[in-house]
Amino acid sequence: MLARGLAAAPGAAVGQVVFDADRAVEWSKIGQKVILARPETSPEDVAGMYASEGIVTARGGRTSHAAVVAVGMGKSCVVGASEILVDEERRVLTANGRTVREGDVISLDGGTGEVILDAVETVEGTLSQEVQELLVWADFYRRGGLGVRANADTPVDAQRAREMGAEGIGLVRTEHMFFAPDRIPIMREMIMAATPAAQQAALDRLQLFQRDDFVGIFQAMDGLPVTIRLLDPPLHEFLASQKEYKEMVEEKSRLEALAINPDRQRWLETVLAAVERLREANPMLGHRGCRLGITSPRIYGMQVTAIMEAACAAAEQGVRVEAEIMIPLTGTVGEMRETYEQTRKVADGVVARTGVPAKYSVGTMIEVPRAALIADQIAHHAEFFSFGTNDLTQMTFGYSRDDVAKFLPAYLQKGLLPHDPFSVLDQEGVGELIRIGIERGRKTRPDLKIGICGEHGGEASSVEFCYRVGMTYVSCSWPLIPGARLAAAQARIRDRVGDSRRAS
Amino acid sequence: MLARGLAAAPGAAVGQVVFDADRAVEWSKIGQKVILARPETSPEDVAGMYASEGIVTARGGRTSHAAVVAVGMGKSCVVGASEILVDEERRVLTANGRTVREGDVISLDGGTGEVILDAVETVEGTLSQEVQELLVWADFYRRGGLGVRANADTPVDAQRAREMGAEGIGLVRTEHMFFAPDRIPIMREMIMAATPAAQQAALDRLQLFQRDDFVGIFQAMDGLPVTIRLLDPPLHEFLASQKEYKEMVEEKSRLEALAINPDRQRWLETVLAAVERLREANPMLGHRGCRLGITSPRIYGMQVTAIMEAACAAAEQGVRVEAEIMIPLTGTVGEMRETYEQTRKVADGVVARTGVPAKYSVGTMIEVPRAALIADQIAHHAEFFSFGTNDLTQMTFGYSRDDVAKFLPAYLQKGLLPHDPFSVLDQEGVGELIRIGIERGRKTRPDLKIGICGEHGGEASSVEFCYRVGMTYVSCSWPLIPGARLAAAQARIRDRVGDSRRAS
C-alpha cells in the first residue's frame, strides 16, 4: 500500500498514473487505462476524470470537487490521501518514501481509500449463481416490456455484453475507432487533404479498418441487432487538443525568435492554419453529426460502404446480421430525408455489388430538441429512433457537459437540482421532450422501434421512465446490463400490480 | 467613388474600414462603426460581419459566402469589387491608384454596388409624411393586439426608439456597458480579483457607471416600461479573444526564448492563467446568465442595486419609472426562485433605504428549451416572460450561431431549410416551444406579460407568429420599429377578417 485516503466513490481501478487531465484524455484515446492523480481537482480536470479509470487526490474531503464529480460519474475515487505529494512539474508522485513516475501502474480501492503500487488483481463483475438466477426471474417478468442492449465499440466489448445478457447493441460509436494510433494519422491526412482525390485516398484506407471492426462486431452479435452510429464529432477533435494547439503556438514562436529550424516552422504553420480553420466557438453545437455527413458526403459514404461490406461478408459466412445504420444529430426533416436517401443508395449499391442480401435499416438519434418536436415528420424517413440523452440533456438544459462542473456542484449543494442530470435522467424537462418525441414519432409509424443510448440507459429510475413512456429497449455499457435487466423487470412488475389494483 | 462591385445586399453603410473579423469585433465593442473589407469571406469572418455596418469583398458573386450571409444578417454588402486589392498583411486596400488604410472611413451602397471614399451623407431612415400617416392607421388597427418595444442599450438609442414609436424597451443588455474603454479595465480587475474585498471594490466602481446609464434610459422612457437584463455572457468574454490569447502565448514564448523582459513574462503568465482557468469548451452552454448570478451573487447584487438606485433617483426627479428586471438563461424552477428572491431582497433594500417607492417587477428570459417546458413552474416566481429567440434557436436546433456559417449556406442552397432560422423565426420547432411556454406560463399566471426580444421581433412573418400565439409585445432594434408596427397591424387585421368570415 502506497497511501490511504478517504473512500470517496466505490469501485476498484487499475491503470497507469497520469498527472494532468489532458494526458488522461490522450492516453485513454489510444486505449490505455489511466488513473488521474492530482493535488486536488478543478473543473478543468473533468474531461480527464471522464477518461480515467479512477481518481486520487492529495487534498480535499468527501464534498470536494473530485469526490462530488467522481460519484456523479460512477468512477472509483480516493481523496485527501495526504501522504501523497504530487509533483506536476517533474511528473512524479511520492508517498511514504516511494516514488511513482507517470506511466507506472497503481491501483485504487474506492471503497476503502487504499492507494496501492502496481496492478492489484480485480474481479471483473462476475455474477454469482444467486444473481444469475435472480436475473433469469427478472427476464421472465420483463417479457413484453423493455429490451436491454449494450453500448459497445469493439468485438471484445460486444462479446462481454452478450455474456451479460445484452439482446443487441444499441450504440457503436464509430469515431472511437479513428483514435487508434495506426488510424489517427490517416484521419488527419483525410481532414487536411488539399484535393478531393487525396481525401478519397485517405478515406479508402480508413474504410478497410472500419470494415474489419464491423465484421468482428457482427460475428459477436450473430442473430441480434447492431446499431452503428455514423461519425458524430467535429473534425477538429481529431487534429489537436487545446493544449496541443498551445504547445504548437509556443514552439513556433520559439523557433521564430531564435531563427532556427525553418522546415519545422513551416510544418507548424500548416497544421496551425488547419486547426484554426476548423476551430469552432461551440463545437458541441457546431459542424458535426449529420451536418458533416451532408457537407462532406464522402465520409458517410465511406462508413456506410464499410458497414455494408462487413454485413455482407459476415452474412456470407453464415452470421445472421441485423445492421441498423444510425444518423446522428438530425434536427430537420430535410437532413433526415437527405441522409436517409444517401445511405440507402450507398447500402443498396453494396448489396447489389456483393449479391448478398444483408438485412439493414436506417434510423436516427433523437438528441436535438427540435427533432423531438417534429418527430412525426422525421419518422417518415427513419425506421427507428434512439434517444441520445447525453446531448439531449446538454441542449435541453443548455449545459455543456465539459463546462458544467463550474456551476453544477454549487447547484446540487444548494438543492437547485435534485441530481446531476447527466447521471439521472431529468424526467420533467428532458423526459417531456422524450414523451413528445415518442408520441409524435409513433403517430406516423405506429410500430417505430425506439431506444435510448445515452448513459442514462443503465440507471434504475431512468430505466423505469423508459419503460413507462413505451420505449422498445434501453442500451447501456456492459457492466450496467444486469442492473438494467433488473430495473426493467421491476418497472414491468410495478406496472402490472398497478393494473391489477386498478382492475379490482 | 473608389470602386464598383456587385450589389449583394441593399442599404447604405459608413464606417472605418477594417481588414479582419477580430478587429471588426474589437472596434465595434468600443462603439466604432466599421466596414469589413476582405478578399472574400469565410465562416471565420461571420462574427466580424455581425459587428460591421457593411461588408465589401474583392472576389465572389451574388451567391458567395459574403453575399449569402450578409443578406441573412440584413447588412449592406458589395461583393466582387475586383478593382480593389486587399493587403491584409500591410492593412491597406488599393483601388484605382488610391490607397485606404485601416481606420480610414469609407461608404458602401449595397443597392448599387458602389464603394466610396470618405463618409457619404446617409438618410437615417426618416419616415415620410405618408409613411407616418400609414403607421398611425396601423397603430389604430393594432389596438388590442401586439405592443411594439425596442431593444436599446443607451439613452440615445432609447430616445430614437421612442421617436420611432416604441412603447417601451424590451431589452437593455447590461454587458455592452462593460466593454467601454473606461470600464473594461475595472471589469477585468473584478474578474481577476484575488480576494472578495478586491472584487467588491471593483464592483462598487462599476456600480456607479451602471447607475448613470440606467438613469438616462429611465428619463428617455418616462412613463414606459424598461426591461433590463442582468449580466448574460460568461466572464472570460471580458478577458481576451482567442486571437488576443494566441498573441499573448506567442509573446511569452518569444520573450522566454530570448530570455528578456521577465516582468512582462510574469504578467503574461498571470493573465494567461486566468484566461485558461475561465476557458470553456462551449461558452454558449457554459457558466453564464443566472448560473453566474447564483455562483457569484455579488455581480447581480451590484446590478440590481444600480438599477434600483437609478430608478429611485429618476422617480425622485418626477420621472414615471417602470423597471422590469430580467433574469437570463433560467432553466430550472430552483434557479428562478433563488434569483427572484435575491433580486427582490436587494431591490426592496434600495427602496427602503432611499424611501422612494420606485415601481419594479422581476421576470425572466425564456431561452433554454427546458424553461419553455416547465413554464408553469417558472411562472410562480416570474412576473413576466421574454422569449430570447436567439439563444432558444441555438439550443432548439443545436446550432452555434458563431459556427453555423460552416454548414448553413449549404443547407439553404440545398433547400434543407427554408430560411436562416436566426433571421426568420422557425415556427415549426422553436415556435412549438414558444407555444408550449406561453400556454403553460399562463396556466399559472393568466395575465402574464409575454414578449420576444430576439432579433426576430422585427421580422414580419415572425411578428405575425407572435401575435397569433398571444404575446403581449415584440421588441426589436429601433430601425425596425415601423416595420414591426405595420406587421402587427396586418396580423391583427388578418385575424379579424378571419373572425368575421368564420362568423358569417
Side-chain angles (χ1 to χ4, degrees):
Chain A
M1 195 168 77
L2 206 57
R4 183 187 288 276
L6 298 167
V14 179
Q16 292 177 277
V17 67
V18 292
F19 298 111
D20 69 60
D22 286 318
R23 189 138 310 173
V25 172
E26 285 159 28
W27 290 17
S28 81
K29 270 184 185 167
I30 56 170
Q32 303 296 319
K33 292 195 183 306
V34 300
I35 289 181
L36 180 63
R38 300 280 299 152
E40 61 194 328
T41 64
S42 69
E44 283 75 43
D45 296 313
V46 169
M49 294 173 73
Y50 269 111
S52 303
E53 302 299 303
I55 299 103
V56 53
T57 69
R59 294 199 292 270
R62 285 210 180 81
T63 57
S64 66
H65 178 268
V68 170
V69 176
V71 168
M73 291 178 180
K75 300 273 181 189
S76 166
C77 181
V78 175
V79 297
S82 53
E83 299 149 323
I84 291 181
L85 195 76
V86 176
D87 185 338
E88 293 177 71
E89 200 66 20
R90 289 177 46 227
R91 301 203 161 268
V92 296
L93 69 76
T94 51
N96 295 317
R98 273 181 290 192
T99 299
V100 181
R101 288 173 203 292
E102 191 155 65
D104 289 352
V105 172
I106 65 170
S107 305
L108 300 183
D109 184 339
T112 63
E114 286 170 283
V115 184
I116 303 150
L117 194 61
D118 286 332
V120 165
E121 205 180 333
T122 56
V123 182
E124 267 285 21
T126 55
L127 304 175
S128 68
Q129 193 55 43
E130 291 83 353
V131 171
Q132 291 199 22
E133 199 169 330
L134 181 71
L135 288 171
V136 171
W137 299 346
D139 290 345
F140 176 80
Y141 284 101
R142 186 160 61 89
R143 281 172 318 166
L146 271 178
V148 176
R149 295 196 190 182
N151 299 347
D153 303 340
T154 62
V156 173
D157 275 1
Q159 190 52 47
R160 272 195 202 140
R162 191 164 195 157
E163 285 157 18
M164 283 290 172
E167 297 155 338
I169 295 199
L171 178 65
V172 179
R173 281 163 293 225
T174 51
E175 55 272 17
H176 286 197
M177 302 170 176
F178 296 130
F179 280 111
D182 51 346
R183 304 175 189 191
I184 185 86
I186 313 175
M187 191 68 187
R188 290 179 179 163
E189 233 172 77
M190 187 276 283
I191 295 167
M192 294 175 60
T195 64
Q199 193 194 42
Q200 191 59 54
L203 283 170
D204 289 345
R205 288 161 68 200
L206 289 170
Q207 187 174 313
L208 300 179
F209 282 113
Q210 288 255 287
R211 192 177 57 197
D212 291 348
D213 295 321
F214 298 136
V215 170
I217 293 174
F218 286 134
Q219 284 168 337
M221 300 310 285
D222 184 5
L224 296 174
V226 176
T227 310
I228 300 170
R229 178 178 70 184
L230 301 184
L231 192 70
D232 188 45
L235 293 181
H236 52 79
E237 273 199 15
F238 298 97
L239 281 192
S241 67
Q242 179 62 32
K243 194 179 167 191
E244 289 162 339
Y245 170 77
K246 188 185 174 190
E247 286 166 356
M248 285 193 282
V249 171
E250 287 169 340
E251 185 184 351
K252 181 161 169 279
S253 302
R254 197 167 52 241
L255 298 180
E256 281 171 358
L258 302 173
I260 54 173
N261 210 342
D263 287 352
R264 177 79 182 163
Q265 283 186 43
R266 264 192 299 278
W267 183 84
L268 286 166
E269 196 166 346
T270 310
V271 178
L272 284 170
V275 173
E276 284 164 12
R277 183 167 48 80
L278 291 172
R279 178 196 298 289
E280 292 182 302
N282 297 286
M284 161 66 203
L285 306 177
H287 192 187
R288 48 175 284 240
C290 67
R291 301 167 195 172
L292 208 52
I294 285 169
T295 57
S296 305
R298 285 166 197 279
I299 298 176
Y300 275 18
M302 175 277 280
Q303 292 198 294
V304 174
T305 305
I307 292 167
M308 291 308 295
E309 284 183 356
C312 293
E316 214 161 30
Q317 294 164 16
V319 176
R320 287 156 304 158
V321 172
E322 200 180 317
E324 299 176 336
I325 304 174
M326 183 155 75
I327 312 293
L329 214 68
T330 312
T332 66
V333 67
E335 287 169 321
M336 190 70 234
R337 190 175 43 229
E338 173 104 354
T339 48
Y340 180 86
E341 286 169 5
Q342 271 181 21
T343 303
R344 279 258 162 225
K345 197 172 140 193
V346 172
D348 288 343
V350 175
V351 169
R353 175 156 51 80
T354 59
V356 184
K359 190 176 159 193
Y360 81 98
S361 59
V362 182
T364 188
M365 303 272 282
I366 302 286
E367 52 186 339
V368 170
R370 195 177 189 281
L373 296 167
I374 62 154
D376 47 340
Q377 295 180 52
I378 299 269
H380 281 294
H381 312 279
E383 288 150 337
F384 61 87
F385 280 0
S386 178
F387 282 91
T389 49
N390 295 343
D391 277 10
L392 191 60
T393 298
Q394 295 198 82
M395 294 185 215
T396 305
F397 275 89
Y399 289 174
S400 161
R401 187 165 179 166
D402 293 329
D403 303 311
V404 80
K406 287 197 162 79
F407 58 89
L408 193 61
Y411 275 30
L412 295 173
Q413 209 178 342
K414 281 172 181 276
L416 301 186
L417 273 176
H419 309 284
D420 174 351
F422 294 105
S423 301
V424 178
L425 185 76
D426 163 48
Q427 298 184 16
E428 193 172 79
V430 179
E432 175 71 355
L433 281 177
I434 293 175
R435 277 186 290 263
I436 290 172
I438 292 177
E439 186 203 309
R440 296 186 184 177
R442 291 226 171 105
K443 207 164 69 185
T444 297
R445 205 183 271 261
D447 60 343
L448 191 66
K449 197 193 285 187
I450 299 179
I452 179 177
C453 60
E455 284 174 40
H456 303 97
E459 191 280 324
S461 71
S462 311
V463 171
E464 176 166 11
F465 173 83
C466 294
Y467 170 77
R468 278 193 283 113
V469 297
M471 284 198 195
T472 318
Y473 67 86
V474 295
S475 188
C476 56
S477 58
W478 65 262
L480 301 178
I481 287 176
R485 286 161 66 189
L486 194 60
Q490 288 168 332
R492 180 91 173 128
I493 292 166
R494 223 172 272 129
D495 187 33
R496 283 181 175 175
V497 170
D499 282 352
S500 56
R501 280 207 190 124
R502 278 190 293 276
S504 65
Chain B
M1 197 168 77
L2 208 55
R4 183 187 289 278
L6 297 168
V14 179
Q16 292 177 279
V17 67
V18 293
F19 298 111
D20 70 59
D22 286 318
R23 189 136 310 172
V25 171
E26 285 160 27
W27 289 18
S28 82
K29 271 187 185 165
I30 56 169
Q32 304 295 319
K33 292 194 182 308
V34 300
I35 289 182
L36 181 63
R38 300 280 300 153
E40 61 194 327
T41 65
S42 70
E44 284 74 43
D45 296 313
V46 169
M49 294 173 73
Y50 269 112
S52 304
E53 302 297 306
I55 299 101
V56 53
T57 69
R59 294 199 291 268
R62 285 210 180 78
T63 57
S64 66
H65 179 267
V68 171
V69 175
V71 167
M73 290 178 179
K75 299 273 182 189
S76 167
C77 180
V78 175
V79 298
S82 53
E83 298 148 324
I84 290 181
L85 196 78
V86 176
D87 185 338
E88 293 176 74
E89 200 66 21
R90 289 176 47 230
R91 299 202 164 269
V92 295
L93 69 76
T94 50
N96 295 317
R98 274 181 290 191
T99 299
V100 180
R101 287 171 203 293
E102 192 156 64
D104 289 351
V105 172
I106 64 169
S107 305
L108 302 182
D109 185 340
T112 63
E114 285 169 283
V115 184
I116 302 151
L117 194 62
D118 285 332
V120 164
E121 205 180 332
T122 57
V123 182
E124 265 285 22
T126 55
L127 306 174
S128 68
Q129 193 55 42
E130 290 84 353
V131 170
Q132 291 201 20
E133 199 170 327
L134 180 72
L135 288 171
V136 170
W137 299 347
D139 290 346
F140 176 80
Y141 284 101
R142 183 160 61 88
R143 281 172 317 164
L146 271 179
V148 176
R149 294 195 190 183
N151 299 347
D153 303 341
T154 63
V156 173
D157 276 0
Q159 189 54 45
R160 271 194 202 141
R162 190 161 196 162
E163 286 158 16
M164 284 289 174
E167 297 155 338
I169 295 198
L171 178 63
V172 179
R173 282 164 292 225
T174 52
E175 56 272 16
H176 286 196
M177 301 170 178
F178 295 130
F179 281 111
D182 51 345
R183 306 175 188 189
I184 185 84
I186 313 176
M187 191 70 187
R188 289 178 180 163
E189 234 170 74
M190 188 278 283
I191 295 167
M192 294 174 62
T195 66
Q199 192 192 41
Q200 191 59 54
L203 283 170
D204 289 345
R205 288 162 68 201
L206 289 170
Q207 188 174 313
L208 300 179
F209 282 112
Q210 289 254 287
R211 193 176 57 196
D212 291 348
D213 295 321
F214 297 137
V215 170
I217 293 175
F218 286 134
Q219 285 168 335
M221 300 310 284
D222 183 7
L224 297 175
V226 176
T227 310
I228 300 170
R229 178 177 70 183
L230 301 184
L231 192 72
D232 187 46
L235 293 180
H236 50 79
E237 273 198 16
F238 298 96
L239 282 191
S241 67
Q242 178 64 31
K243 195 179 166 191
E244 288 162 339
Y245 171 77
K246 188 185 176 192
E247 286 165 357
M248 287 192 283
V249 171
E250 287 169 340
E251 185 184 350
K252 181 161 169 279
S253 302
R254 198 166 53 239
L255 297 180
E256 282 173 357
L258 302 173
I260 54 172
N261 210 339
D263 287 352
R264 177 78 181 165
Q265 283 186 41
R266 264 191 299 278
W267 182 84
L268 286 165
E269 197 167 344
T270 310
V271 178
L272 285 170
V275 173
E276 284 165 11
R277 183 167 48 82
L278 290 172
R279 179 196 298 288
E280 293 182 302
N282 298 287
M284 161 66 204
L285 306 177
H287 191 189
R288 51 175 284 241
C290 67
R291 301 166 194 172
L292 207 52
I294 284 169
T295 57
S296 306
R298 285 166 199 278
I299 298 176
Y300 275 18
M302 176 278 281
Q303 292 199 294
V304 174
T305 305
I307 292 167
M308 292 308 294
E309 285 183 355
C312 294
E316 214 161 29
Q317 296 164 14
V319 175
R320 287 156 303 158
V321 171
E322 203 179 315
E324 299 177 335
I325 303 174
M326 184 155 76
I327 312 293
L329 215 69
T330 312
T332 67
V333 67
E335 289 170 319
M336 189 70 234
R337 191 174 42 230
E338 173 105 353
T339 48
Y340 180 86
E341 285 169 6
Q342 271 181 22
T343 303
R344 278 259 162 223
K345 197 172 140 194
V346 173
D348 288 343
V350 175
V351 169
R353 175 154 53 78
T354 59
V356 184
K359 192 176 158 192
Y360 80 96
S361 59
V362 181
T364 188
M365 302 273 284
I366 304 286
E367 52 186 339
V368 169
R370 194 177 190 280
L373 297 167
I374 62 154
D376 47 340
Q377 297 180 50
I378 300 269
H380 282 294
H381 313 280
E383 288 148 338
F384 62 87
F385 279 2
S386 179
F387 283 91
T389 48
N390 295 344
D391 277 10
L392 191 59
T393 299
Q394 294 198 82
M395 294 184 214
T396 305
F397 275 90
Y399 289 175
S400 161
R401 188 165 176 168
D402 293 330
D403 303 311
V404 80
K406 288 197 162 81
F407 57 91
L408 193 61
Y411 276 31
L412 295 174
Q413 208 178 344
K414 282 172 180 275
L416 301 185
L417 273 177
H419 310 283
D420 174 350
F422 295 105
S423 301
V424 177
L425 185 76
D426 163 48
Q427 298 183 17
E428 192 173 80
V430 179
E432 176 72 355
L433 281 177
I434 293 175
R435 277 186 290 263
I436 290 172
I438 293 177
E439 186 203 309
R440 296 186 184 176
R442 290 226 171 104
K443 206 164 70 186
T444 297
R445 207 184 271 260
D447 60 345
L448 192 66
K449 198 193 284 184
I450 300 179
I452 179 177
C453 61
E455 285 174 40
H456 303 96
E459 192 278 323
S461 72
S462 312
V463 171
E464 176 166 9
F465 173 82
C466 294
Y467 170 78
R468 278 193 282 114
V469 296
M471 285 199 195
T472 318
Y473 67 86
V474 295
S475 189
C476 56
S477 57
W478 65 262
L480 301 178
I481 288 177
R485 285 161 69 190
L486 194 62
Q490 288 168 332
R492 180 89 175 130
I493 291 167
R494 223 172 271 129
D495 188 33
R496 283 180 176 175
V497 171
D499 282 353
S500 56
R501 281 206 188 123
R502 277 190 294 276
S504 65

